[in-house]
Amino acid sequence: MKAKVPFLDLNAHHLPLRAEIDRTIGRIIDSGIFAGGPVVAEFEEAFAQFCESPFAIGVGSGTEALWLALLACGVGPGDEVITVPNTFMATAEAITYAGAKPVFVDIDEASYTMDPARLEDALTPRTKAIIPVHLFGQTAHLEPILQFAQAKDLYLIEDAAQAHGAECNGRKVGSLGHVGCFSFYPGKNLGAFGEAGAIVTADAGLKDKITILRDHGQVKKYYHQMVGWNCRMDAIQAAVLGIKLAHLDDANTRRRAHANQYDQRLAGHDQIITPWVAPYGKHVYHIYAVRVQNRDRVKKQLEDAGIESGIHYPVSIHLQLAYADLGYKPGSLPVAERVSREMLSLPMFPELMEEDIDFVCDTLLNATVVDFGARPLAMTQ
Ligand SMILES: *Cc1c(COP(=O)(O)O)cnc(C)c1O
């Protein structure tokens, strides 16, 4: 059965662009250039401009972007990289695949992003880099994180996979650290027709190294300066992304309007915590997540009414089986763990209708009121 309100509707977004996309894909097929090439270079230039950063390098996914960024910064075996546990697995995976050890710090309960006050305790002589995550489209509190990174001579790698177009102190995220990493997974604010990602940087040395690494370490065809990997971007993805990039600001504006409508409808109900908006940031609402008690039951009630919702993320990365060897125990990062039990992501995409949001809010308010009466959530923010 088709949902009354889907979590995401990519078709609705692509419909008005469809003829232009079909024509452009046709041109790529005719050109016979599918891996890298001039269409990728053109998109890289446009994306660098969008991010207000000198260079962008297209790669095969956001995961590859993070991995190559770490390799280019010289992160390897014996090193530690500080990041957060409430993110998609890829953030930590990239650290592991670079040969280093992820060290998780807890998050700030208002913003759900890295708590800068936790960095000092996580620092060791092996710490080489910090990866804050701009979660759900909200920038991490980069100013104190940048100051810390500078003082301790660490690389700052931004995981901007969920925050294309978000800002921190008036500057586009991805452009503030040494390197910014983006994903163009189809469901992201800027999504390809398959897998793709990009790295932005202002450092020409890092740009050169990443460009070589993503293409088997080649400086020119069959001349390998170092051992790299195949992390090239497809020309078809670059072409699709180039078309969609022109509509990204408009799409983000619509997401912000939807978030505003949710905020107003859900305000003043103490059984629901709506997203906090950082005064230093511009939020682009990749995800609109509220916090409720008895989350799984509320989710089921939405589902029964035909409303799709999501959970980002049900298990903090430090408690995943894959990282059992790191030795974290339940309770070691209490804010991230509490939030992971309460988060519920509501439908959010640019083409969402006002009446859909009203219906989601009515259903949600009904579900939470019936379930918990007037029991307020323990708010610590
Ligand atoms: C999507 C995502 C990634 C990984 O990107 P892929 O393109 O799926 O490899 C990394 N970090 C975060 C925070 C993400 O949301």
Side-chain angles (χ1 to χ4, degrees):
M1 199 187 77
K2 199 167 173 290
K4 278 204 194 95
V5 187
F7 184 65
L8 176 68
D9 187 349
L10 289 176
N11 261 328
H13 191 62
H14 295 145
L15 200 64
L17 308 174
R18 186 55 194 270
E20 188 184 357
I21 288 172
D22 284 350
R23 261 199 318 277
T24 308
I25 291 177
R27 273 207 292 278
I28 307 265
I29 296 172
D30 292 339
S31 79
I33 303 170
F34 297 104
V39 178
V40 172
E42 200 179 306
F43 170 71
E44 287 172 338
E45 209 175 301
F47 192 66
Q49 214 166 57
F50 176 84
C51 294
E52 294 161 6
S53 182
F55 308 111
I57 307 115
V59 293
S61 70
T63 309
E64 287 179 354
L66 287 160
W67 180 56
L68 291 189
L70 286 159
L71 294 183
C73 292
V75 172
D79 294 332
E80 293 178 359
V81 178
I82 301 173
T83 190
V84 285
N86 63 326
T87 178
F88 180 60
M89 178 66 172
T91 318
E93 244 173 359
I95 298 167
T96 305
Y97 255 59
K101 180 180 149 190
V103 173
F104 298 104
V105 292
D106 214 342
I107 53 167
D108 164 64
E109 184 148 10
S111 70
Y112 311 136
T113 64
M114 179 176 275
D115 184 350
R118 306 279 167 194
L119 290 171
E120 191 71 54
D121 279 348
L123 187 77
T124 79
R126 293 176 296 283
T127 309
K128 189 89 183 240
I130 308 177
I131 310 185
V133 178
H134 304 307
L135 195 78
F136 301 161
Q138 171 140 273
T139 179
H141 197 184
L142 284 181
E143 204 171 290
I145 299 173
L146 261 166
Q147 271 167 15
F148 185 86
Q150 259 156 16
K152 310 293 178 186
D153 200 20
L154 306 172
Y155 280 102
L156 181 68
I157 300 172
E158 297 175 59
D159 185 338
Q162 304 188 359
H164 321 67
E167 291 176 11
C168 184
N169 294 320
R171 291 176 60 189
K172 288 277 172 70
V173 303
S175 72
L176 288 93
H178 295 92
V179 197
C181 298
F182 290 86
S183 162
F184 304 123
Y185 182 77
K188 301 288 160 81
N189 285 31
L190 178 61
F193 284 6
E195 308 282 353
I199 299 163
V200 300
T201 183
D203 183 320
L206 286 176
K207 186 262 290 179
D208 288 343
K209 193 154 180 210
I210 292 162
T211 307
I212 293 169
L213 280 171
R214 76 155 168 196
D215 192 19
H216 301 289
Q218 296 182 113
V219 276
K220 63 179 184 179
K221 205 170 172 77
Y222 304 133
Y223 289 81
H224 306 271
Q225 194 179 81
M226 57 183 94
V227 175
W229 200 253
N230 178 358
C231 301
R232 292 179 301 245
M233 178 183 266
D234 289 344
I236 287 181
Q237 302 306 344
V240 170
L241 289 166
I243 293 168
K244 292 179 70 174
L245 180 60
H247 303 272
L248 179 55
D249 279 333
D250 175 54
N252 281 342
T253 301
R254 292 209 224 171
R255 286 175 186 269
R256 288 159 54 81
H258 299 331
N260 192 36
Q261 191 188 341
Y262 271 129
D263 284 349
Q264 294 195 351
R265 282 297 318 273
L266 300 175
H269 297 275
D270 59 7
Q271 70 276 23
I272 296 170
I273 299 178
T274 54
W276 180 74
V277 181
Y280 48 80
K282 179 180 171 188
H283 203 316
V284 293
Y285 297 98
H286 171 56
I287 282 173
Y288 186 93
V290 294
R291 282 164 64 191
V292 293
Q293 286 186 335
N294 214 341
R295 184 259 324 274
D296 295 338
R297 193 132 137 236
V298 174
K299 187 174 194 309
K300 177 73 171 56
Q301 281 187 242
L302 291 180
E303 192 182 309
D304 290 344
I307 298 164
E308 289 178 350
S309 59
I311 296 174
H312 301 94
Y313 296 90
V315 182
S316 291
I317 304 299
H318 68 291
L319 298 180
Q320 294 283 354
L321 202 54
Y323 280 127
D325 60 329
L326 292 178
Y328 291 91
K329 296 278 175 286
S332 49
L333 299 169
V335 181
E337 291 168 35
R338 178 162 65 244
V339 158
S340 75
R341 289 189 291 270
E342 298 173 349
M343 284 281 192
L344 181 65
S345 309
L346 303 180
M348 174 54 84
F349 52 92
E351 294 72 23
L352 196 59
M353 307 286 246
E354 256 177 59
E355 54 266 35
D356 291 336
I357 296 173
D358 278 335
F359 177 56
V360 174
C361 292
D362 289 341
T363 311
L364 180 67
L365 289 169
N366 206 32
T368 45
V369 168
V370 169
D371 272 6
F372 332 117
R375 256 189 305 147
L377 269 175
M379 282 204 45
T380 52
Q381 65 191 58

